Amino acid sequence: MRLHAYVLAGDPAWISQSIGSYYGIVEKIVVSYAADGRSWAGFPLSVDESLERMRAADPDGKMVFVPGDHSDADRPVMTVETEQRQAALDAASEEADWVVQLDTDEILSSPEVFLAQLREADRRAADALAFPMRNFYARTPSGEFLEHCGRFWTTQAGYPGPVVVRAGTRLSLSRQSAGSPVHRVDVSPRNTDPAHPFGTPVHAVIPEDDAIIHMSWVRTEEQMAEKRIVSGYAPERDWDRDLGRWRRRTAHPLGTVLGAPFARNPFGRFRITRLPEFADVEP
């Protein structure tokens, strides 16, 4: 299988760890970025720092840098995002069979397991691979991490969209490809993602340690300040409230963890997790 990838330049926090985790299994990486350094909604974005880190993570010259106009304050943010992703996916699809679409804060734990499930998706004639992500929220004062979890501290997977799609796929919203047959992998025989119905099919099960690590909100204060402005979900959030909670939970991880069984919101439950050495690096 000829495997390419695309990434969007703008979030520099975990670029080196993310690209390094799959660099060895892809032949080409298309880097899409806003030529004017602006976010989808027109705010300043850390494009230059992202590009600098990407170039440093490309010893074999696999990256193709593609500037474009990806900012439009007059249209819905998710619409502009989807258009940028589609343009990047189209460029990455050239001479490829499959295209990886991981964001730069998402890290492969086990490329071998990932490839094995992609081969299974190909064998099953699926058009996309939905691979579980473990979502990390903050680094605690002790150096461990708060991770989203189930009611009784069980592993909870997340699926922002397929992480690999067939070359030539048409995206419907962000990374989603509506109507495409999906090979869906989870960390349990039953769906663990509260955003999906309980009976959502699971076609394969992997150990939780092989899931993708999503360093979603593991950021510095400065990076979180930028995230509140440029995030595709920014218009839908009460960021003052959410950042206040983020600071309190980070400062008081034990109390946060003990409250998991009582949290009504399934995305407000956390456990403390230790991650591999790569996470000791500051974003």
Side-chain angles (χ1 to χ4, degrees):
M1 293 185 296
R2 293 169 298 178
L3 189 60
H4 292 176
Y6 78 80
V7 291
L8 310 183
D11 178 8
W14 296 97
I15 281 176
S16 300
Q17 294 86 348
S18 175
I19 291 177
S21 71
Y22 62 85
Y23 190 82
I25 65 174
V26 300
E27 297 177 14
K28 181 171 78 171
I29 302 172
V30 170
V31 179
S32 173
Y33 66 96
D36 62 359
R38 296 276 170 174
S39 71
W40 300 310
F43 297 101
L45 194 62
S46 298
V47 171
D48 289 342
E49 182 182 355
S50 297
L51 294 177
E52 181 180 351
R53 293 193 184 195
M54 287 176 176
R55 292 188 177 103
D58 185 24
D60 299 331
K62 294 183 180 183
M63 294 185 185
V64 178
F65 294 86
V66 182
D69 181 6
H70 304 301
S71 177
D72 190 339
D74 295 328
R75 292 193 296 153
V77 170
M78 297 297 284
T79 299
V80 183
E81 175 191 351
T82 304
E83 290 178 357
Q84 181 180 5
R85 288 186 181 276
Q86 187 66 65
L89 173 56
D90 290 345
S93 292
E94 296 178 8
E95 300 182 351
D97 297 310
W98 292 86
V99 177
V100 176
Q101 46 176 13
L102 284 174
D103 284 351
T104 55
D105 60 356
E106 297 166 356
I107 302 163
L108 282 190
S109 296
S110 177
E112 296 80 9
V113 172
F114 184 79
L115 283 176
Q117 291 302 325
L118 179 57
R119 295 188 189 100
E120 181 62 14
D122 193 61
R123 186 193 68 79
R124 297 184 62 244
D127 289 334
L129 171 64
F131 200 86
M133 293 187 187
R134 293 169 59 189
N135 293 309
F136 289 82
Y137 182 76
R139 189 195 304 267
T140 70
S142 67
E144 297 171 311
F145 294 84
L146 287 175
E147 177 188 1
H148 288 279
C149 66
R151 182 178 295 277
F152 297 106
W153 306 285
T154 54
T155 303
Q156 177 178 286
Y159 299 86
V163 294
V164 193
V165 294
R166 287 196 185 271
T169 291
R170 303 306 300 173
L171 301 176
S172 56
L173 186 68
S174 188
R175 281 182 273 187
Q176 302 288 340
S177 49
S180 299
V182 176
H183 176 63
R184 191 170 186 278
V185 183
D186 206 326
V187 296
S188 168
R190 292 185 175 180
N191 167 56
T192 64
D193 179 13
H196 284 77
F198 179 76
T200 299
V202 174
H203 302 116
V205 178
I206 62 169
E208 64 177 51
D209 288 345
D210 293 331
I212 292 168
I213 294 171
H214 182 197
M215 303 299 273
S216 177
W217 280 32
V218 183
R219 298 284 194 280
T220 63
E221 278 277 351
E222 181 181 14
Q223 290 165 344
M224 286 299 290
E226 181 178 64
K227 188 178 180 73
R228 73 181 295 175
I229 296 173
V230 304
S231 168
Y233 303 99
E236 304 170 12
R237 307 192 72 107
D238 181 344
W239 277 96
D240 289 336
R241 177 201 64 190
D242 290 346
L243 286 175
R245 288 175 176 173
W246 176 74
R247 295 185 186 101
R248 288 193 301 274
R249 289 164 173 166
T250 302
H252 305 286
L254 184 58
T256 298
V257 168
L258 291 176
F262 310 103
R264 295 182 179 179
N265 183 350
F267 300 101
R269 300 166 183 155
F270 301 90
R271 66 184 184 185
I272 293 177
T273 305
R274 182 175 295 278
L275 283 176
E277 291 182 1
F278 78 79
D280 291 337
V281 179
E282 289 296 324

